[in-house]
């Protein structure tokens, strides 16, 4: 099973992967920010769709790549052979809280930098629209998305 989860910046991708020790329910978790891009280059001006696709297709075990819609860009393929693509859209209030926490911490690069991101609401709306337009299943948590695909791919 190979799964790509699209979400928004400040949605807790890195935190979730770390809390799960990069494995959940027999699925190896990869965070785009950590796996495919060194931190200094982490900005919306450096989309990585082909790198993400190549990386995920090279995996030989159950794998899940957590990616921001902003990372892959609007020209990313809507379908990837042998990879399920889903969206995780957190509650807007949770995103606002997480973005606010980011703004008050020592993050000065990437999505947390004041010049590098739209508001969390803009990303939330963009991801909702993208998922609707491309008929991508929507979940409200990383665990919910992974659990569904683990159960349906046994």
């Amino acid at each position: 099973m190979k799964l790509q989860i699209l979400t928004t910046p400040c949605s807790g991708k890195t935190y979730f992967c770390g809390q799960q020790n990069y494995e959940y329910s027999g699925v190896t978790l990869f965070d785009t920010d950590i796996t495919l891009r060194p931190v200094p280059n982490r900005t919306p001006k450096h989309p990585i769709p082909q790198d993400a696709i190549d990386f995920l297709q090279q995996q030989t075990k159950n794998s899940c790549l957590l990616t921001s819609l902003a990372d892959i860009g609007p020209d990313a393929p809507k379908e990837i052979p042998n990879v399920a693509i889903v969206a995780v859209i957190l509650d807007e209030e949770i995103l606002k809280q997480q973005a606010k926490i980011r703004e008050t911490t020592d993050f000065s690069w990437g999505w947390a930098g004041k010049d590098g991101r739209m508001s969390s609401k803009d990303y939330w709306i963009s991801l909702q629209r993208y998922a609707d337009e491309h008929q991508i299943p929507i979940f409200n948590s990383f665990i919910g998305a992974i659990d569904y695909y683990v159960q349906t791919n046994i």
Side-chain angles (χ1 to χ4, degrees), residues 8 15-16 23-25 30 34 36 51 57 61 65 67 85 89 103 105 111 120 123 148:
T8 61
Y15 179 80
F16 173 73
E23 187 166 334
Y24 175 78
S25 243
F30 298 98
I34 304 300
L36 296 177
D51 289 348
Q57 288 182 324
K61 54 188 171 183
L65 180 65
T67 316
I85 302 174
I89 301 178
E103 289 173 352
T105 61
W111 304 117
S120 56
Y123 278 120
Y148 176 81

Side-chain angles (χ1 to χ4, degrees), residues 5-21:
I5 295 179
L6 301 175
T7 190
T8 61
C10 297
S11 62
K13 297 179 299 295
T14 303
Y15 179 80
F16 173 73
C17 289
Q19 288 293 354
Q20 302 301 322
N21 202 25

Side-chain angles (χ1 to χ4, degrees), residues 24-118:
Y24 175 78
S25 243
V27 177
T28 303
L29 305 174
F30 298 98
D31 173 7
T32 302
D33 295 334
I34 304 300
T35 305
L36 296 177
R37 177 175 30 216
V39 169
N41 292 334
R42 184 179 167 195
T43 72
K45 295 181 178 106
H46 296 93
I48 53 169
Q50 193 57 50
D51 289 348
I53 293 165
D54 293 345
F55 177 80
L56 197 50
Q57 288 182 324
Q58 291 169 7
Q59 300 309 304
T60 57
K61 54 188 171 183
N62 290 343
S63 304
C64 177
L65 180 65
L66 287 82
T67 316
S68 169
L69 179 62
D71 283 335
I72 66 165
D75 298 328
K78 311 313 179 235
E79 293 182 24
I80 304 170
N82 303 314
V83 176
I85 302 174
V86 301
V88 168
I89 301 178
L90 300 178
D91 180 75
E92 185 180 358
E93 289 304 312
I94 293 171
L95 279 178
K96 285 180 184 177
Q97 290 171 354
Q98 290 177 210
K100 196 172 275 191
I101 289 168
R102 278 276 183 102
E103 289 173 352
T104 61
T105 61
D106 190 22
F107 289 97
S108 60
W109 42 264
W111 304 117
K114 302 216 182 319
D115 298 331
R117 62 180 168 75
M118 294 189 284

